[in-house]
Structure formats: C-alpha cells, structure tokens
C-alpha cells in the first residue's frame, strides 16, 4: 500500500507551484513556447499519495505532437520529488483560443 501524505493546504499549493514551474520547461515543438504560457494547462491535481493529474488541451485537436508533449510532461514531473506518478488527461472543453496565452507568449508569437 502506498504512503499517504498529510500535506497542509499551503504545502499542496507550494508543490503545485513547483509542478507548474516544471511544466514551464515543456515546450510546444511547433510554436517554441512552453505549454503553461500557451495556456494549455487547465488544471493540476495532486493526490495525497503523490499522484499528479494534469488536465490540458492542445492548440488543435489533431496535433501530431501530442505524444511528444505528454512524454515531456512526464519527464518534467520527475523533477518534483513529491510526485510519485502522473497522468495527462487531454480535454477539449473549453476549447483553446489565443486568449488563454500569457502576455509573454502573445508577444513572442506576434499576436495582439
């Protein structure tokens, strides 16, 4: 049986912050911008056993690089010691639009 952690709400928030920081190292190969600044990450959940679920979308439903991005996410999360395992769930609602992008991503891609 796996160990159950008794993290406080503040600790979970801090760990989730480090998870998001790790996700910022995952770059969309086509756009050259990380998936956080692109607005592709919809939710980060961390269970008491360290299992992390990432709910995200892609810029297009038929994105040929979905597997590459998913693999990069799993690799990035290995740098967060509290994460024991992870799952990436692709969701399509709400649909991604350029409005979800950070100011940094919009400037980098020349989008107003």
């Amino acid at each position: 049986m796996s160990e159950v952690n008794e993290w406080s709400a503040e600790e979970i928030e801090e760990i989730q912050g480090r998870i998001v920081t790790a996700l910022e190292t995952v770059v969309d190969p086509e756009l050259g911008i990380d998936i956080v600044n692109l607005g592709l990450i919809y939710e980060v959940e961390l269970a008491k056993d360290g299992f992390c679920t990432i709910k995200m979308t892609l810029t297009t439903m038929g994105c040929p690089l979905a597997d590459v991005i998913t693999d990069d996410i799993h690799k990035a999360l290995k740098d967060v010691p509290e994460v024991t395992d992870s799952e990436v769930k692709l969701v399509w609602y709400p649909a991604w639009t350029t409005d979800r992008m950070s100011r940094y991503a919009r400037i980098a891609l020349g989008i107003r």
Side-chain angles (χ1 to χ4, degrees):
M1 190 158 120
S2 64
E3 180 182 328
V4 175
N5 299 295
E6 294 300 326
W7 294 313
S8 67
E10 293 81 17
E11 289 171 319
I12 290 173
E13 189 174 319
E14 189 268 330
I15 296 166
Q16 286 178 323
R18 287 191 284 114
I19 290 169
V20 171
T21 299
L23 293 175
E24 288 176 335
T25 68
V26 178
V27 174
D28 180 303
E30 290 182 311
L31 299 175
I33 305 289
D34 70 86
I35 61 175
V36 173
N37 278 292
L38 284 174
L40 300 179
I41 302 299
Y42 284 2
E43 189 175 342
V44 174
E45 295 176 4
L46 181 65
K48 290 190 182 294
D49 64 356
F51 189 84
C52 182
T53 303
I54 305 295
K55 290 183 183 172
M56 67 169 292
T57 194
L58 297 169
T59 55
T60 60
M61 197 175 282
C63 177
L65 298 170
D67 290 341
V68 171
I69 293 171
T70 300
D71 288 345
D72 287 350
I73 289 171
H74 290 295
K75 288 176 193 168
L77 293 178
K78 289 182 185 213
D79 290 338
V80 181
E82 294 86 355
V83 175
T84 58
D85 200 2
S86 59
E87 175 184 23
V88 177
K89 291 185 177 181
L90 291 178
V91 296
W92 304 107
Y93 183 82
W96 180 86
T97 67
T98 56
D99 293 340
R100 294 192 54 87
M101 295 169 60
S102 72
R103 183 174 182 270
Y104 161 77
R106 295 170 73 75
I107 290 170
L109 294 174
I111 297 173
R112 293 183 181 257

